[in-house]
Structures are given as C-alpha cells and as structure tokens.
C-alpha cells in the first residue's frame, strides 16, 4: 500500500446508502456517470474540507463509509490513487486538494466492502462538523 492512511472513505447521503443496503444492490453516487468512478478520501483530516466544498447544499443526513483497498477489491472493484478530480460540475479548488493523491474507486460500492458506516454531524446551515469515530 503506497498510502500512509489505511482506509478509504466515501461520503454518502444516508437515504441512498440505506436504500442500497435494504435492497442488497450496488451503490453508485449521483455523479458516477459524469465522473466515471466513485470518489474517495484516505486522509481523515481532509474529509470535512471535501464535504464542505462539494456537498454543503445537499441537505439531509450523511454517512462516511470506511473501507480498505482490500475490502473493495474483495467486493470486485479496483482503487487507483490519482490527483483530485471535480465532482460532477463542482471544481476541485478546496484547501488541500493538491497535497496528496485521492482514492478513485473504479466501480460502485457493495455493502460487503464497507467496514463501518459512520454518522456525519452537520449544523443547521448544512456545514459538516464532524464524523463520529473518525474526526473530532
């Protein structure tokens, strides 16, 4: 593993992930067709910056899925580490975007790849504040 961080994280709207797990389907993020992969973050310190840059206007509750490259591979998808990419039509110009490589998951997510779904805490205005068990 060439990353110093052992996990791959993906931020997901709770309602979409709950639907996926209830129906035993594969989850593809809303921008998958545009982006061509599922976005991930390895450095837990970047998660709130990523969330507040790309998703502040997407209301509702969210999870942060915690996986590993190995758990993803076991579920049938590969992960490549590349420079930051836009999410849909939102550009990648957030603080720390160019500091490291980000995991890009070449497929959708199956529940079997997820080690834990962590609850994301948000303010009333949509600001992402913390992720239980990951950030402080």
């Amino acid at each position: 593993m060439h990353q110093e961080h052992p996990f791959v994280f993906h931020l997901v709207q709770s309602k979409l992930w709950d639907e996926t797990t209830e129906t035993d389907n594969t989850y593809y993020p809303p921008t998958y067709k545009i982006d061509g992969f599922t976005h991930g973050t390895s450095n837990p310190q970047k998660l709130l910056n990523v969330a507040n840059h790309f998703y502040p206007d997407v209301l509702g509750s969210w999870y942060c899925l915690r996986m590993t490259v190995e758990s993803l591979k076991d579920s049938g998808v590969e992960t490549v580490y590349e420079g930051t990419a836009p999410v849909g039509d939102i550009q990648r110009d957030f603080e720390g975007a160019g500091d490291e490589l980000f995991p890009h998951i070449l497929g959708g997510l199956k529940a079997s790849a997820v080690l834990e779904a962590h609850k994301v805490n948000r303010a009333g205005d949509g600001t992402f504040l913390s992720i239980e068990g990951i950030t402080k």
Side-chain angles (χ1 to χ4, degrees):
M1 183 87 196
H2 84 303
Q3 284 291 108
E4 64 183 274
H5 304 289
F7 298 110
V8 174
F9 301 104
H10 176 74
L11 294 158
V12 61
Q13 295 172 71
S14 300
K15 66 180 181 180
L16 298 180
W17 184 246
D18 290 342
E19 289 170 8
T20 299
T21 58
E22 288 166 10
T23 57
D24 198 28
N25 280 326
T26 300
Y27 165 79
Y28 291 91
T31 60
Y32 188 85
K33 286 184 180 175
I34 297 166
D35 300 339
F37 58 88
T38 300
H39 289 267
T41 304
S42 283
N43 183 343
Q45 302 308 313
K46 300 251 192 240
L47 282 167
L48 294 175
N49 277 351
V50 167
N52 285 314
H53 179 74
F54 289 113
Y55 309 116
D57 298 330
V58 184
L59 301 179
S61 62
W62 286 64
Y63 296 129
C64 180
L65 305 180
R66 182 169 54 90
M67 303 160 285
T68 63
V69 169
E70 293 78 17
S71 72
L72 287 160
K73 187 171 187 163
D74 290 346
S75 76
V77 293
E78 296 296 321
T79 305
V80 297
Y81 284 80
E82 300 175 313
T84 311
V87 175
D89 60 359
I90 302 173
Q91 293 307 306
R92 57 186 183 206
D93 54 349
F94 62 92
E95 183 178 336
D99 295 351
E100 60 193 67
L101 299 178
F102 285 77
H104 293 161
I105 303 159
L106 305 180
L109 303 178
K110 295 181 180 170
S112 64
V114 177
L115 306 175
E116 189 168 352
H118 298 266
K119 183 178 182 239
V120 177
N121 297 306
R122 300 182 76 181
D125 67 358
T127 300
F128 289 80
L129 300 173
S130 64
I131 300 168
E132 293 182 9
I134 297 176
T135 66
K136 294 185 176 103

